[in-house]
Amino acid sequence: MAKPIISAIVPAYNEEKTVEKVITTLKASNYINEIICINDGSTDNTEKLLEKFKQTITVINLKKNQGKGNALALGIKQAKGDIVEFLDADLTSLSDKHIQLLTTPLLDKQYKAVMGYVVNRSGMSVFADITGQR
């Protein structure tokens, strides 16, 4: 059986300080096959920063902020992957190790869904407490 395609969906709203590092980390990962970044009507330089990635990722620029849920839904519609991962554009400590921790249980078919959350702003933990939006 072929290795599943993994799509990373990154909603971004006024994330000029962090989005570039998140996209760069995802691009460097061997786990991620497709990156879709939705610029949700940002009024800062997020759109300009994403321009340099347009040749290698899918960038969707919305003229007006429509909310994270809408951005995620647009990303899902564009995604070609067998597995879809949602990663916020402000994950300042995101590393390939975090991507591996989120992805391996899905690839190994141990779980159908995983969730990570920031721990002391220094890393992520898989399957700890289920937390809500800030």
Side-chain angles (χ1 to χ4, degrees):
M1 186 164 109
K3 180 180 171 188
I5 296 171
I6 300 174
S7 299
I9 299 175
V10 182
Y13 177 68
N14 290 341
E15 300 292 353
E16 68 182 7
K17 294 178 182 173
T18 56
V19 70
E20 189 171 4
K21 182 183 181 304
V22 170
I23 298 299
T24 301
T25 301
L26 291 170
K27 284 177 55 70
S29 175
N30 290 326
Y31 293 94
I32 304 299
N33 306 104
E34 175 185 45
I35 302 167
I36 301 167
C37 188
I38 302 89
N39 174 29
D40 192 14
S42 295
T43 57
D44 65 358
N45 287 317
T46 299
E47 182 175 355
K48 184 177 179 182
L49 288 169
L50 291 174
E51 283 295 314
K52 67 176 157 185
F53 294 109
K54 277 191 140 181
Q55 298 299 318
T56 56
I57 73 169
T58 300
V59 177
I60 300 170
N61 285 306
L62 302 178
K63 301 240 185 262
K64 183 176 134 186
N65 180 266
Q66 298 178 34
K68 185 176 181 178
N70 183 70
L72 292 173
L74 287 172
I76 291 169
K77 287 178 185 174
Q78 289 289 316
K80 296 173 182 69
D82 304 301
I83 296 172
V84 176
E85 296 185 3
F86 303 127
L87 296 122
D88 288 345
D90 64 352
L91 294 173
T92 56
S93 64
L94 182 66
S95 71
D96 197 53
K97 181 68 174 175
H98 299 131
I99 297 166
Q100 176 189 6
L101 288 170
L102 288 169
T103 307
T104 301
L106 300 171
L107 292 174
D108 292 345
K109 298 185 188 266
Q110 292 174 313
Y111 299 99
K112 292 183 180 184
V114 294
M115 183 175 143
Y117 73 102
V118 177
V119 180
N120 297 329
R121 304 303 281 169
S122 64
M124 294 172 69
S125 174
V126 178
F127 288 118
D129 298 331
I130 302 295
T131 60
Q133 189 73 11
R134 286 192 289 282

